[in-house]
Amino acid sequence: MIKIEHVHKWFGENHVLKDINLHIKKGEVVVICGPSGSGKSTLIRCINRLEPIQKGKILVNNVDVNSPKTNLTALRAEIGFVFQQFNLYPHMTVLENITLAPILVRRMDPKQAEELAMELLHKVNIPDKANAYPPQLSGGQQQRVAIARGLAMKPKIMLFDEPTSALDPEMINEVLDVMKGLAREGMTMVVVTHEMGFAKEVADRVIFMDEGTLIEENTPQEFFNNPKNERTKLFLSKIL
Ligand code: ADP
Ligand code: MG
């Protein structure tokens, strides 16, 4: 579903992705971890071309993400993105936040979009917040709205960039539980996170990045019990 081949990216002189190769199958859950500044956000932002690349190739469902012929709106409709900062529209209700893109991009009938939004709010366990405004919600609730908003486009892939790192500790699990549910339903997911409990429970593969390079990848079992690279070992010793 996602093919990342020999990808390089520079920000000016800064070589931030160095020959990244990664294939992700339909239904796979891949966790990416690594020190701050190692290129994790940049890598997943390249998947839906929030960032362009200078070398290599990224294919999503066999569509070349960086081809000038690619319809970006159509591509992004297939890929949900959940950010660390929830990025909800504060002046719109929860329901309006969720129905906006399906109505505008998918041309969904507004009534139908509302029904779908309510279904999704049940799924993320906050159906009672449909008419609230984001600033009235806790961080954990806002992040669950952001997930529902992503799902409303019926994406084939969900990307998560440190979805729980802006949350107070007591709210982390309510978000991770929703993500675990999605993983079990077979969603293809790429998740940048340092929540290693999540990785152990639902990841098919864990990837460690450092200084723009994909250093090590393995099953969670092997990755945590038997890390091979010294940098991986050092990183794990700091976060576990
Ligand atoms: P991570 O998510 O692993 O913390 P990032 O992908 O955010 O790492 O950053 C990788 C490198 O790219 C860092 O050196 C960072 O300073 C740089 N970088 C990230 N975004 C930008 C940007 N928009 N402009 C210039 N440099 C950037
Ligand atoms: Mg980041």
Side-chain angles (χ1 to χ4, degrees), residues 29-175:
V29 177
V30 174
V31 161
I32 302 177
C33 62
S36 178
S38 56
K40 307 179 298 294
S41 296
T42 303
L43 177 62
I44 66 165
R45 290 167 65 82
C46 287
I47 296 175
N48 69 351
R49 214 169 102 190
L50 284 174
E51 293 290 352
I53 58 173
Q54 282 86 33
K55 212 172 150 194
K57 205 169 194 127
I58 300 179
L59 300 175
V60 172
N61 269 329
N62 290 319
V63 172
D64 182 346
V65 170
N66 291 280
S67 160
K69 291 184 204 131
T70 294
N71 178 340
L72 267 190
T73 309
L75 174 81
R76 288 179 184 157
E78 306 285 306
I79 306 175
F81 204 120
V82 175
F83 301 86
Q84 180 177 341
Q85 301 297 344
F86 333 113
N87 296 350
L88 298 170
Y89 294 110
H91 60 287
M92 295 171 81
T93 66
V94 163
L95 209 63
E96 287 165 347
N97 267 280
I98 299 173
T99 55
L100 185 68
I103 293 171
L104 289 182
V105 181
R106 292 255 191 245
R107 306 268 170 228
M108 198 183 269
D109 166 71
K111 262 260 86 52
Q112 219 185 323
E114 273 191 24
E115 278 168 28
L116 172 63
M118 281 314 301
E119 237 173 75
L120 291 170
L121 284 173
H122 277 282
K123 191 181 185 111
V124 301
N125 300 316
I126 36 172
D128 51 317
K129 300 296 182 192
N131 296 310
Y133 289 85
Q136 301 170 321
L137 304 181
S138 73
Q141 291 169 336
Q142 289 188 59
Q143 194 58 302
R144 285 182 283 152
V145 173
I147 294 172
R149 178 181 58 178
L151 293 173
M153 291 294 278
K154 301 188 189 281
K156 298 200 170 70
I157 298 166
M158 286 289 284
L159 307 175
F160 294 85
D161 191 0
E162 303 208 31
T164 60
S165 46
L167 300 177
D168 292 331
E170 72 272 20
M171 294 171 189
I172 290 175
N173 278 330
E174 65 196 41
V175 172

Side-chain angles (χ1 to χ4, degrees), residues 134-214:
Q136 301 170 321
L137 304 181
S138 73
Q141 291 169 336
Q142 289 188 59
Q143 194 58 302
R144 285 182 283 152
V145 173
I147 294 172
R149 178 181 58 178
L151 293 173
M153 291 294 278
K154 301 188 189 281
K156 298 200 170 70
I157 298 166
M158 286 289 284
L159 307 175
F160 294 85
D161 191 0
E162 303 208 31
T164 60
S165 46
L167 300 177
D168 292 331
E170 72 272 20
M171 294 171 189
I172 290 175
N173 278 330
E174 65 196 41
V175 172
L176 291 179
D177 285 345
V178 168
M179 293 168 60
K180 286 176 195 169
L182 271 183
R184 294 199 179 99
E185 285 171 18
M187 178 63 81
T188 307
M189 294 166 64
V190 186
V191 185
V192 175
T193 185
H194 292 159
E195 292 294 333
M196 293 299 129
F198 173 84
K200 284 180 188 165
E201 216 176 310
V202 297
D204 296 298
R205 272 191 286 163
V206 183
I207 285 169
F208 175 68
M209 276 185 79
D210 196 12
E211 295 179 359
T213 304
L214 212 154

